[in-house]
Amino acid sequence: MTRRLISSGSVFEEQIGYSRAVVDGEWVFVSGTTGYDYATMTIADDVAAQCEQALRNIEAALAQAGGSLRDVVRATFIVPRREDWAPCWPVLKRFFGEVRPASTLLHAGLQTDAMRIEIEVTARLRRREGEQG
């Protein structure tokens, strides 16, 4: 099995020394991901919008790895403010309602005050129906 690094294109990945995701065999480890929109280089003020964008960023990394959100087996959510957690529930239900990964919520400071949620996931790639091998 080979190890493959996936980048979001962020300059911080090279400057700090990390990858958006690492694929190691059937496992994909996605780094803590915030709601930063790389297309517009902006971050929304609303925590639910940030949650949705973070999940879209994770979805893009998983797609590069050959997987999807349905492969997620573990999720860690970090919010600096307790009151920001409940507004994220409908977004998480939409993205993970069928998948229902094991998860943990942490309250901690993030890199900037503008960041209101960070999400880290672990996924296990599975063969899809009709795949050979």
Side-chain angles (χ1 to χ4, degrees):
M1 296 279 168
T2 60
R3 183 174 186 257
R4 185 166 49 104
L5 307 179
I6 293 175
S7 174
S8 68
S10 168
V11 296
F12 295 115
E13 292 171 20
E14 185 177 331
Q15 289 176 351
I16 297 171
Y18 74 97
S19 296
R20 170 59 46 219
V22 175
V23 182
D24 191 349
E26 63 187 11
W27 293 98
V28 183
F29 304 92
V30 182
S31 293
T33 304
T34 62
Y36 202 81
D37 183 337
Y38 298 112
T40 62
M41 303 305 281
T42 60
I43 191 164
D45 291 331
D46 179 70
V47 69
Q50 284 191 29
C51 182
E52 183 160 345
Q53 184 61 52
L55 290 166
R56 290 190 192 289
N57 294 342
I58 290 168
E59 199 169 37
L62 290 170
Q64 287 182 52
S68 71
L69 288 173
R70 68 182 180 212
D71 295 311
V72 173
V73 296
R74 180 90 177 129
T76 302
F77 306 98
I78 306 164
V79 294
R81 300 184 303 193
R82 291 185 200 294
E83 64 270 17
D84 278 348
W85 182 228
C88 294
W89 296 355
V91 177
L92 296 170
K93 173 88 172 173
R94 202 165 8 109
F95 281 83
F96 286 135
E98 297 291 318
V99 179
R100 296 180 58 190
S103 68
T104 300
L105 168 67
L106 301 171
H107 296 282
L110 298 178
Q111 186 175 352
T112 70
D113 290 338
M115 295 175 180
R116 296 176 62 188
I117 187 165
E118 185 169 332
I119 304 169
E120 173 188 270
V121 304
T122 301
R124 182 171 171 240
L125 302 175
R126 292 171 181 78
R127 288 197 188 117
R128 305 289 182 233
E129 198 171 307
E131 287 183 3
Q132 299 291 319

